[in-house]
Amino acid sequence: MTATHEAEPPEGGKPLLTPVAIGASCLAFVVIGALQALYGPAIPALRDAFGISPAVAGLSLSAHFVGALLGVLIYHLLRGRLNNRVLLGGSYLLMAAGVAAFAFSPSWGLALAGTFVIGLGFGGIDYGLNQLFAVGFGHRSTAMLNLLNAHFGIGAIAGPALIGRLGADSYPQIFIGTGVISLLILVTLGGVAAREPAPAPVAGAPAGGARVLPIIAVFIGVYVLHVAIETGVGGWEPTHLEAVGYGAATAATATSAYWAAMTIGRFVAAPISLRWSAPSILLVCCAGMAGFLLPATVPALAPYAYFGVGLMIAPIFPTCLPWLNRAVPGVGAAGAYVIAASMIGGVAFPPLLGAVIDTMDIKTVPLLLFLLAVVCGVLSLWLRRNAPDPGGASGPRDSGRTDAVTTL
């Protein structure tokens, strides 16, 4: 596991996160990554336990995401009234309570309510920790956010693997295990600063609402589109690969490799972000997504191309959040908007893509996603011109400042 020095403190103050709190935050992201990925593998056991259809069992993930979206918004609305420790502690407690309700529920209705409560805590943790990491490490925030979100990927890989090893019937025990870890993390909240300092003015950042709103809107567009591509590949890659001649096992392995690529990409992006600016990283990632989606139309190259798409998508979410905060430092809700938008995109886009595929051909999936990547690239060019990032890394001359990252 990777760790860092303390978060950069506000002038004359204490750091926002101690090393222990940083490590606990990474562990929390392993937990929420595992939880999100556990619902699918648990569906066979849910069907047997409650006598429900696959579509009804799939509502567990929908309820989770609805709760997560509300969790983000509620956390943001309460930020001005309650401190970080209370909000994060409440989120961990909600997640643990939801896990217990889901694991021990005697009826499907109560189990579904449990997934909603899990989502409330999940959304608060996702938003709260992302925001703290986005503002707590100065020029290293992008690197730290990539490391934090890479741990989400570790959980997303480990959760299904655990169910695969222990069996779908073991899902209650696995869920309870994540709840216990959530409760243990509570003891580390003393290492989290009660409140963040007021955002400092950033030279070159737009001040007027007429200029700020378009910037936020374009960031939201980037988040919606890149999450749409992420979930589009994750959801439809197996079907596409089987349609072009691959066996089910090969298609499943290739899809697992795609998700692993997203985790690898974030670990790789951490040191890169200390040398290169967020606008440059976003532009390269958008070009890379488009560049890999085109060869995905060639059956012989498709599995490898999708792996490349995963690498390119990986840095976008954690790289753009600190940039957004620097671009519109006076808009505290901006981070909530883009994180909420990413969740909406993740829920809404796969069925929309499915509806389009119904009228066309599954083999067109890479081309449809390529068009989205092109639009994402156009938006990245607009941001590069209209929302410069003077507060981030500016090029190779920052390469010597890598003391932030150490190894435990």
Side-chain angles (χ1 to χ4, degrees):
M1 181 183 292
T2 53
T4 69
H5 296 310
E6 292 180 340
E8 290 185 359
E11 190 172 345
K14 294 182 179 180
L16 295 187
L17 295 153
T18 64
V20 170
I22 293 169
S25 300
C26 290
L27 179 59
F29 261 59
V30 173
V31 170
I32 66 173
L35 277 172
Q36 181 174 312
L38 282 170
Y39 293 107
I43 282 178
L46 292 173
R47 291 180 62 196
D48 291 341
F50 299 107
I52 53 179
S53 68
V56 173
L59 290 175
S60 57
L61 189 57
S62 298
H64 171 94
F65 271 110
V66 171
L69 178 59
L70 289 175
V72 170
L73 299 177
I74 292 169
Y75 192 109
H76 173 70
L77 290 174
L78 294 177
R79 278 181 74 198
R81 303 176 186 177
L82 302 174
N83 66 48
N84 292 318
R85 295 170 190 162
V86 171
L87 289 170
L88 284 173
S91 297
Y92 288 123
L93 287 171
L94 278 171
M95 199 160 69
V99 159
F102 179 70
F104 295 126
S105 175
S107 70
W108 175 240
L110 289 176
L112 207 57
T115 65
F116 175 78
V117 176
I118 292 171
L120 286 174
F122 176 105
I125 293 163
D126 188 22
Y127 172 62
L129 291 179
N130 269 308
Q131 280 295 111
L132 280 172
F133 274 60
V135 301
F137 296 89
H139 76 284
R140 299 188 297 252
S141 286
T142 300
M144 292 302 299
L145 267 175
N146 272 287
L147 288 176
L148 178 69
N149 283 274
H151 285 83
F152 184 98
I154 292 174
I157 294 168
L162 198 56
I163 278 194
R165 182 173 182 83
L166 300 179
D169 290 338
S170 65
Y171 81 87
Q173 292 86 353
I174 297 173
F175 270 84
I176 287 298
T178 64
V180 170
I181 295 172
S182 298
L183 294 176
L184 292 175
I185 292 174
L186 289 172
V187 303
T188 70
L189 290 179
V192 178
R195 299 190 184 278
E196 306 98 297
V202 177
R211 292 188 61 195
V212 164
L213 290 178
I215 290 173
I216 295 174
V218 174
F219 269 107
I220 288 174
V222 168
Y223 270 71
V224 169
L225 288 172
H226 97 269
V227 171
I229 296 167
E230 173 188 324
T231 56
V233 173
W236 289 100
E237 179 183 355
T239 307
H240 174 245
L241 291 179
E242 289 184 46
V244 297
Y246 289 93
T250 301
T253 300
T255 305
S256 297
Y258 162 75
W259 290 114
M262 292 197 53
T263 301
I264 295 167
R266 284 170 177 164
F267 279 117
V268 172
I272 291 174
S273 67
L274 295 172
R275 300 187 58 186
W276 300 103
S277 69
S280 298
I281 292 172
L282 175 61
L283 190 59
V284 169
C285 287
C286 289
M289 285 192 298
F292 279 112
L293 283 165
L294 275 182
T297 61
V298 180
L301 300 177
Y304 310 101
Y306 282 131
F307 184 87
V309 175
L311 290 175
M312 292 295 106
I313 290 174
I316 295 178
F317 184 102
T319 296
C320 287
L321 196 57
W323 177 17
L324 171 65
N325 284 325
R326 292 189 292 263
V328 289
V331 184
Y337 295 154
V338 298
I339 292 175
S342 70
M343 291 180 176
I344 293 171
V347 174
F349 188 78
L352 289 176
L353 182 59
V356 173
I357 291 169
D358 284 343
T359 64
M360 301 174 68
D361 188 299
I362 185 65
K363 295 178 183 178
T364 63
V365 165
L367 286 177
L368 292 172
L369 297 176
F370 166 78
L371 293 175
L372 295 183
V374 170
V375 176
C376 200
V378 171
L379 295 180
S380 72
L381 285 170
W382 188 93
L383 285 172
R384 186 182 179 93
R385 175 171 295 185
N386 294 279
D389 187 24
S394 55
R397 62 181 176 274
D398 292 331
S399 60
R401 304 192 65 175
T402 57
D403 57 320
V405 182
T406 60
T407 302
L408 279 178

